[in-house]
Amino acid sequence: MVNTFFVFCACIDQASIGVVEKWGRFLSLAGPGLHFFNPFAGECLAGVLSTRVSSLDVRVETKTKDNVFVQLVCSIQYRVVKENADDAFYELQNPQEQIQAYVFDVVRAHVPRMTLDELFEQKGDVAKAVLEELEKVMGGYGYNIEQILMVDIIPDASVRRAMNEINAAQRLQLASVYKGEAEKVLMVKKAEAEAEAKYLSGVGIAKQRQAITEGLRDNILNFSNTVSGTSAKEVMDLIMVTQYFDTIKELGNSSKNTTVFIPHGPGHVRDVTDQIRNGVMEASSNLVGN
């Protein structure tokens, strides 16, 4: 930027540099501040260049090695070198077009040698190649390339949809594997729990039957020793009949509205007694055998 007050003076803003000519030929560079010129000697301010960092976005369309058309968006950050501002002023008429042309050339030379996946993985290598080429060329014109960023890689819309579908299918497959493994572990743990529960239930029933058998045996022995003239069979019949009536009493006092028909009579009581006695004797014989 420049502010001209009179024909013979001008004020150059900060982050700018002026080009001074004399009779149409380059004379010197003018830094920021107020400068005086002698128009009678042919001195004048030919132009002003900004030394700020400029950014240029270049969109390049090319094809990858696996025949996928993609668009690459490159952001080039460059600036004028103060010491070589005269080269930047006189050598290039449109530096943006020059930079864009070299970006097209380098990108279209490198990308066709890569697949689409390699391009996404190695986009930094493409940016580095563009940077090296631009530094070599633009440095001779008074420009310095600060940085090049490969900001975006845009495949064709159909390719993007296919890539998303492939990714979704892979994730669904992985989820199915994890779900199957989880169900397998759940079934195994459930089977182990059921087996453990059945084992513990069997142990509990065996101990219960053993406790009942030992209790009945102790009761028979105590009753036979206390009451003289009674046999073990008579004591067993008395205990079985007592338990039989206790069971009928509990069924009658139950709060559930359930009707139970039980054949009742002296003959039936004897049958129940014989069945219980035979069961206890079989259990006792098994304990003795063990």
Side-chain angles (χ1 to χ4, degrees):
M1 297 296 292
V2 58
N3 296 319
T4 303
F5 299 102
F6 301 100
V7 179
F8 54 86
C9 67
C11 183
I12 300 176
D13 294 339
Q14 185 68 29
S16 298
I17 190 166
V19 179
V20 182
E21 292 181 348
K22 182 176 182 179
W23 303 118
R25 297 181 62 181
F26 172 72
L27 178 62
S28 63
L29 297 175
L34 181 63
H35 297 271
F36 294 91
F37 307 104
N38 186 1
F40 301 103
E43 294 181 358
C44 68
L45 183 64
V48 177
L49 293 176
S50 175
T51 57
R52 295 185 179 93
V53 176
S54 301
S55 179
L56 174 64
D57 292 336
V58 180
R59 184 182 292 266
V60 185
E61 185 175 4
T62 183
K63 185 179 71 170
T64 61
K65 185 178 181 180
D66 48 355
N67 296 323
V68 177
F69 283 91
V70 294
Q71 290 186 359
L72 283 76
V73 181
C74 305
S75 179
I76 297 93
Q77 298 176 0
Y78 64 98
R79 70 193 310 167
V80 174
V81 180
K82 294 181 180 180
E83 294 78 8
N84 300 326
D86 54 331
D87 293 333
F89 185 79
Y90 291 105
E91 297 294 335
L92 286 181
Q93 183 176 3
N94 194 330
Q96 289 82 8
E97 290 185 0
Q98 186 80 1
I99 292 174
Q100 186 174 358
Y102 279 103
V103 172
F104 282 173
D105 182 67
V106 176
V107 170
R108 288 174 177 172
H110 281 76
V111 173
R113 291 181 284 178
M114 300 179 178
T115 63
L116 182 60
D117 293 336
E118 291 174 349
L119 177 59
F120 275 98
E121 295 173 358
Q122 304 174 16
K123 66 177 184 178
D125 295 340
V126 179
K128 183 179 179 181
V130 176
L131 177 62
E132 291 176 354
E133 184 67 21
L134 287 180
E135 283 182 339
K136 181 174 62 177
V137 174
M138 299 302 293
Y141 296 117
Y143 286 89
N144 181 44
I145 307 300
E146 299 290 331
Q147 193 173 11
I148 293 181
L149 302 175
M150 198 68 62
V151 296
D152 202 1
I153 300 175
I154 308 173
D156 186 74
S158 59
V159 177
R160 292 200 302 270
R161 288 194 298 269
M163 293 173 65
N164 291 332
E165 290 176 359
I166 292 174
N167 190 14
Q170 291 176 347
R171 292 182 180 275
L172 288 175
Q173 182 180 5
L174 186 60
S176 300
V177 172
Y178 284 141
K179 184 178 180 181
E181 292 294 332
E183 291 179 353
K184 177 182 177 181
V185 172
L186 183 61
M187 293 177 64
V188 170
K189 292 298 181 181
K190 184 178 180 181
E192 292 178 353
E194 290 178 355
E196 185 69 17
K198 290 180 180 179
Y199 171 76
L200 295 176
S201 176
V203 172
I205 293 174
K207 291 182 178 180
Q208 181 185 16
R209 290 178 179 175
Q210 181 180 358
I212 293 174
T213 303
E214 292 177 354
L216 291 175
R217 183 185 60 190
D218 293 340
N219 288 335
I220 292 171
L221 294 176
N222 292 333
F223 195 89
S224 300
N225 295 329
T226 304
V227 181
S228 59
T230 58
S231 62
K233 180 179 180 305
E234 293 175 348
V235 176
M236 188 68 184
D237 292 341
L238 177 61
I239 293 174
M240 293 300 102
V241 171
T242 303
Q243 290 183 349
Y244 176 75
F245 283 108
D246 290 340
T247 303
I248 294 176
K249 181 178 179 181
E250 291 179 359
L251 290 175
N253 294 331
S254 177
S255 60
K256 297 181 180 179
N257 296 325
T258 303
T259 303
V260 180
F261 294 94
I262 300 176
H264 182 67
H268 293 100
V269 173
R270 181 176 299 277
D271 292 340
V272 172
T273 303
D274 293 340
Q275 293 175 9
I276 295 175
R277 182 174 59 251
N278 292 335
V280 172
M281 293 176 65
E282 290 177 0
S284 299
S285 63
N286 291 333
L287 291 176
V288 172
N290 294 331

